[in-house]
Amino acid sequence: MIATTIALAVLVALLALGSLGTGPVKLSPVTVLDALFGGGSDVQQTIVREIRLPRAILGLAIGAILGLSGAALQGLLRNPLASPSLFGAPQSAAFGAVLMIALGWADVRSWALPVAGITMAFTSVFVLLSIAGRSAGLLLLILAGLAISSLAGAATSLVMNLSANPFAALEIAFWLLGSLEDRSFRHVTLALPFITAGAILLMSQRSAFRALSLGEETAQSLGVNVGRLRLLVIVGVALGVGGAVAVTGTIGFIGLIAPHLMRPLIGHDPTRLLVPSALTGSALLLAADIAVRIIPSTTDIKVGVLTSIIGVPFFLYLIVRERRALGGGVA
Amino acid sequence: MSNQALLTANHLDVTLSGRAVLHDVSLSLQPRHLVALVGPNGAGKTTLLRALAGLLPSSGSVHVDGEALASLSLRERAKRFGYLPQGHVVHWPLDVKDVVALGRYPHGATDPGRLSPADEAAVLRAMQATDVMPFAARRVTELSGGERSRVALARVLAVEAPIVLADEPTASLDPRHQIDVMKKLRDVADSGVLVIVVTHDLGLAARFADTVLVMSDGRLVAHGSPADALSNAIMADVFRISAYRAYYQSETVILPWAGI
């Protein structure tokens, strides 16, 4: 497990280097490192430190919190199909942020965005867990998640529909697709505190996830305060996902995929999966963000679109694999 | 044998969604006893077990070794009760040894990969007592029902708590494994632990238990030796059956016979 974690960390570092080197001006890893630590030409320094570094930091941090949130939710619910995006958390956070923009209460670089995003993300996960109840079955969770993400999507559409200015609607629509492009250190300062707080909160509860493998009642008999754990996980996921969505728009499915990629390597222990899932999330998002810059196209592809294009077929594959549980054993 | 009560409950009442499921239950139990908790479906056996362990809110009081349960932290409670739930599911395919090591969770051992020597020794003792050692490195999902029930028992024993609460540990096991589990629980009780077992098998209860508690409609209706608590009158009143009684190899045999 330690070897895998180290290998993942190295991979994430390499991808971060790759992210700093990729763009209209291609830079070799040596040049990137040089410019990063104050060497190279002024132009190279500006490109690496001011244009690409915020993007790489956001990719790394947001990928990590999405992977961690997915692993934590799967651990909390003992359910391999749990993830922030299937619960409508990013969609709800996006609705919160879009509402702020449309009401003119915030430009895209204000604290109101993460706060609104976190509030809505918290509400969505809280409502979902309240509907699904204590012993949430697979089908119930997915249906409730579908309802909540549809509602958030509909609410977002309504805001765009009512928006007085068609250009504002278009801007919101593109923002919603999810992108790390043209992000500055202002965005990093906006998102990073919340992402860090969410990650610390989730990691502080890590050992309880293993005890929860035995069910809520048994975990409680072992000394886990299950009610408090549920609340802390919801808050942690909301802080992380809400903070992330507020600066990048919706980037889905990384939280679903990352833990699944790690299970063949790490095993199913939900506690041991947390850190590797976070690193895998980072690697996935950094790789996707490099890919959107390399794939030749007339308009740039948004990274959130790419993660969904890859994520949804993966979700379908998981449904096929879990279809016995979903169909109640009849299929 | 000490006559000091280890576990006492006074006037326990539990109401779940408006319905009284436990009504004024008081009891006093000693260590080194195997106590069978019997009663028809819905009599409140599982609720009583949960209330004793503090897993659900109840009015009344529970004392363990003179200490009020309500005054103990969740972790301190967890050190006093080994709780074996019905069905004992494991939601992820964890390694057997990791599952058993969860029994040390109340003692602060949160990482089964890095157990202290004391925790490691307790896990080893629990696995030896339940014959789990041969498949310690396998995944729980690969085991048979009988093997899995032994792993669940090992996890409970690893807590090394003074009280073990087992909810239908013999359900869905074949006769051989049912006897196995009861014998193991008998050994645990003989080692000084108070063991309370919920069971529907009156034959096993009569044979292995020192004390039988009979519940009906949320009340404790009989409390005594198997012969007293499972008398013909109680069998008729509570279970609405007649029973065949005999002695075999100097042990009591009760065989539920016919509905009345």
Side-chain angles (χ1 to χ4, degrees), chain A residues 280-331:
Chain A
T280 307
S282 286
L284 284 173
L285 188 52
L286 284 170
D289 190 41
I290 292 172
V292 294
R293 280 176 274 176
I294 293 175
I295 297 169
S297 66
T298 44
T299 326
D300 25 300
I301 299 169
K302 304 288 184 192
V303 72
V305 178
L306 186 67
T307 60
S308 297
I309 292 277
I310 298 167
V312 176
F314 189 85
F315 179 42
L316 277 173
Y317 155 75
L318 288 178
I319 290 177
V320 170
R321 216 180 58 180
E322 304 282 329
R323 67 175 182 272
R324 195 165 301 169
L326 283 164
V330 199

Side-chain angles (χ1 to χ4, degrees), chain A residues 133 135 219 247 254 266:
Chain A
S135 52
V247 299
I254 284 178
I266 303 283

Side-chain angles (χ1 to χ4, degrees), chain B residues 42-236:
Chain B
K45 305 182 293 293
T46 298
T47 305
L48 175 57
L49 223 51
R50 288 178 183 162
L52 289 175
L55 293 176
L56 49 78
S58 58
S59 59
S61 65
V62 176
H63 285 77
V64 180
D65 218 0
E67 281 180 292
L69 197 60
S71 69
L72 297 174
S73 70
L74 220 51
R75 175 177 276 200
E76 285 305 315
R77 280 183 209 179
K79 285 183 195 166
R80 283 160 175 76
F81 293 98
Y83 182 74
L84 184 62
Q86 215 168 327
H88 46 75
V89 275
V90 182
H91 290 273
W92 301 108
L94 301 183
D95 291 346
V96 167
K97 201 194 157 201
D98 287 355
V99 172
V100 178
L102 278 173
R104 301 308 291 170
Y105 193 92
H107 301 272
T110 50
D111 185 355
R114 276 181 302 180
L115 294 176
S116 73
D119 290 324
E120 188 80 47
V123 169
L124 212 62
R125 277 196 293 275
M127 292 203 294
Q128 276 163 348
T130 48
D131 302 323
V132 162
M133 290 304 279
F135 39 88
R138 281 170 63 193
R139 289 180 171 181
V140 277
T141 36
E142 296 167 2
L143 305 178
S144 71
E147 289 167 335
R148 232 179 291 178
S149 73
R150 272 147 65 191
V151 173
L153 186 58
R155 199 264 304 156
V156 169
L157 294 188
V159 181
E160 304 204 321
I163 302 168
V164 165
L165 306 172
D167 198 352
E168 295 199 39
T170 58
S172 79
L173 292 181
D174 62 37
R176 162 77 201 270
H177 283 106
Q178 291 184 16
I179 293 170
D180 248 27
V181 165
M182 289 305 283
K183 274 199 165 144
K184 296 241 155 66
L185 289 173
R186 182 69 254 178
D187 290 343
V188 172
D190 290 341
S191 74
V193 175
L194 165 62
V195 181
I196 306 179
V197 185
V198 170
T199 181
H200 280 300
D201 193 318
L202 303 178
L204 288 176
R207 181 178 163 198
F208 287 102
D210 305 296
T211 305
V212 174
L213 306 176
V214 183
M215 290 192 73
S216 177
D217 287 329
R219 291 163 199 272
L220 201 56
V221 292
H223 179 176
S225 69
D228 293 342
L230 296 174
S231 65
N232 281 333
I234 298 241
M235 293 290 236

Side-chain angles (χ1 to χ4, degrees), chain A residues 111-207:
Chain A
W111 291 102
L113 286 194
V115 171
I118 288 162
T119 311
M120 289 310 295
F122 177 84
T123 311
S124 71
V125 182
F126 186 83
V127 167
L128 184 115
L129 292 193
S130 310
I131 294 174
R134 305 221 107 205
S135 52
L138 220 48
L139 201 56
L140 196 58
L141 274 176
I142 301 227
L143 287 177
L146 178 69
I148 288 170
S149 52
S150 304
L151 181 64
T156 308
S157 303
L158 181 66
V159 171
M160 285 164 65
N161 196 169
L162 295 178
S163 138
N165 177 349
F167 294 106
L170 196 66
E171 198 184 282
I172 291 173
F174 269 100
W175 180 80
L176 276 175
L177 296 179
S179 174
L180 295 169
E181 225 178 325
D182 300 331
R183 298 302 191 263
S184 67
F185 271 105
R186 174 81 181 127
H187 292 102
V188 175
T189 27
L190 220 52
L192 215 51
F194 298 110
I195 292 176
T196 312
I200 290 172
L201 205 55
L202 293 176
M203 285 307 290
S204 72
Q205 301 302 309
R206 62 188 179 280
S207 61

